[in-house]
Amino acid sequence: MAEYILDISGLNKRYGNIQAVDNLELKVEKGTVFGLLGPNGSGKSTTLGILLGVVQKDSGDFKWFGEEPTASQRRRLGAILESPTFYPYLSGIQNLQIVCKIKEVPESRILEVLEQVGLANRATSPFKTYSLGMKQRLAIASALLSDPEILILDEPTNGLDPQGIAEIRELILDIAGQGKTIILASHLLDEVQKVCTHFAVLKQGEKIFHGTVAESLMGNEGVEVLADDTESLRKVIGTFPSFIDMKLNNVGRLEVQLSKETAIHEFHEYLIEKGIVLTHLAYINKSLEKQFLQLLSAKS
Ligand code: ADP
């Protein structure tokens, strides 16, 4: 049975005539990297704010670790909602010492978290000399000081250059690899696709989709194959029982459409049995982007 670390039911928040969160139902399983995906203004930050007790909900409920929210539970959550303010002239270590005092956590983990976010070699440099990516990594380090079970990040790569983005994504995967649950809000599909295992799509405060990234990518629009002898390959594919159609694409590979329920390994085994050795085999994915855009336009 899945263990839910977060369970939201019927959550609502209205600002004047804007329904920022609309009857939201959401469950997050322990150990997943959960993406809250939606365009700007879709209610992601408001939702995270409510979950962290900094925004008042209008109605609805949520449970962390199966229980009503309490102050002691919040200690099990590490969060970065906005770019935290660090002192520019103090070093990474000194800034984290201040965070430890504020959060009342021991300073013993400072070096460990700096190591984890890849800042150990810059630990004594003043914060103002850090790149934007390093500043964001220090923010993540500060959220990790209390060794939280859940890390909550709002748009973690906003404003970063491509290298900074890649570093933060790698770091998120690394933290997830240590068994922590991560909940991140993002308007970037690519981000969700690259780091999340599960995701929900929000539109005007409403959840319009909820699923796993892997399943969403498995839209099986067929496979792309290549063999040394294209003609024999064509002939054999044409005899495969669930074959529907094929065409040569602009890079000289055959795009093959098979009936939906076809297991690709069976298709591959069939080719091998018929003496075909593939030099290339790849899924043609219904990209998450296409689905995301379809979802957003379908409900307007
Ligand atoms: P996201 O994080 O997806 O960009 P937000 O949760 O920040 O979305 O905002 C959702 C909606 O609520 C938006 O229309 C936004 O303008 C509105 N909103 C957010 N915070 C406030 C606030 N403090 N006062 C009034 N409206 C707000």
Side-chain angles (χ1 to χ4, degrees):
M1 261 271 293
E3 187 183 336
Y4 293 109
I5 212 153
L6 172 64
D7 187 350
I8 306 177
S9 63
L11 196 66
N12 283 292
K13 174 71 185 179
R14 177 178 274 277
Y15 291 109
N17 54 9
I18 294 169
Q19 190 72 38
V21 180
D22 191 355
N23 206 16
L24 185 65
E25 307 274 332
L26 207 60
K27 283 181 161 70
V28 176
E29 262 177 63
K30 189 175 175 178
T32 56
V33 181
F34 192 92
L36 209 49
L37 176 66
N40 287 331
S42 57
K44 305 180 298 291
S45 302
T46 305
T47 303
L48 295 184
I50 295 172
L51 295 174
L52 289 165
V54 295
V55 174
Q56 281 258 322
K57 63 182 183 185
D58 290 341
S59 60
D61 287 302
F62 62 92
K63 287 181 178 160
W64 284 114
F65 313 100
E67 293 161 17
E68 300 299 328
T70 59
S72 69
Q73 263 176 24
R74 285 208 189 102
R75 293 212 179 107
R76 297 164 75 181
L77 314 174
I80 314 172
L81 288 195
E82 280 156 33
S83 328
T85 30
F86 290 113
Y87 293 94
Y89 293 96
L90 298 185
S91 69
I93 292 188
Q94 289 167 324
N95 270 295
L96 291 189
Q97 282 169 334
I98 294 172
V99 176
C100 285
K101 289 209 174 69
I102 295 169
K103 288 191 176 174
E104 296 177 350
V105 293
E107 293 183 10
S108 54
R109 278 177 47 79
I110 291 180
L111 291 180
E112 191 183 326
V113 296
L114 284 170
E115 183 83 46
Q116 188 174 2
V117 303
L119 283 178
N121 61 344
R122 294 293 302 275
T124 55
S125 314
F127 176 74
K128 68 180 172 89
T129 65
Y130 287 7
S131 67
L132 279 177
M134 291 165 75
K135 288 176 176 166
Q136 180 66 330
R137 282 188 276 143
L138 187 68
I140 294 178
S142 88
L144 290 173
L145 279 171
S146 59
D147 198 14
E149 288 159 66
I150 305 177
L151 186 63
I152 299 166
L153 306 165
D154 195 358
E155 301 282 0
T157 60
N158 243 10
L160 301 184
D161 60 13
Q163 194 196 334
I165 291 174
E167 285 169 7
I168 295 293
R169 289 180 180 168
E170 211 172 292
L171 177 57
I172 292 172
L173 291 173
D174 178 53
I175 295 168
Q178 294 172 356
K180 294 198 193 295
T181 306
I182 297 178
I183 300 175
L184 71 89
S186 177
H187 68 289
L188 301 172
L189 193 68
D190 177 53
E191 182 147 291
V192 167
Q193 198 166 341
K194 288 198 171 119
V195 304
C196 297
T197 55
H198 296 64
F199 73 117
V201 179
L202 291 188
K203 186 189 180 190
Q204 292 169 2
E206 209 187 325
K207 183 183 78 181
I208 56 172
F209 180 81
H210 185 183
T212 68
V213 170
E215 278 168 14
S216 307
L217 287 174
M218 291 264 278
N220 193 1
E221 287 185 350
V223 282
E224 190 190 67
V225 289
L226 188 67
D228 289 336
D229 182 352
T230 310
E231 267 328 291
S232 312
L233 177 63
R234 266 179 191 276
K235 278 196 194 114
V236 173
I237 289 174
T239 64
F240 184 64
S242 66
F243 165 75
I244 295 175
D245 195 13
M246 69 181 138
K247 66 167 197 268
L248 204 60
N249 66 17
N250 57 0
V251 286
R253 292 167 179 167
L254 272 179
E255 285 188 11
V256 185
Q257 217 191 323
L258 304 167
S259 66
K260 276 250 176 286
E261 60 284 357
T262 310
I264 299 306
H265 70 92
E266 283 173 13
F267 171 67
H268 195 188
E269 278 158 18
Y270 180 83
L271 297 183
I272 294 169
E273 268 171 33
K274 301 287 177 189
I276 300 283
V277 178
L278 292 179
T279 53
H280 174 86
L281 170 68
Y283 280 99
I284 301 170
N285 285 325
K286 208 185 213 178
S287 84
L288 206 51
E289 178 153 15
K290 204 156 120 194
Q291 293 185 51
F292 181 54
L293 292 175
Q294 276 167 1
L295 280 172
L296 288 177
S297 59
K299 295 265 313 190
S300 54

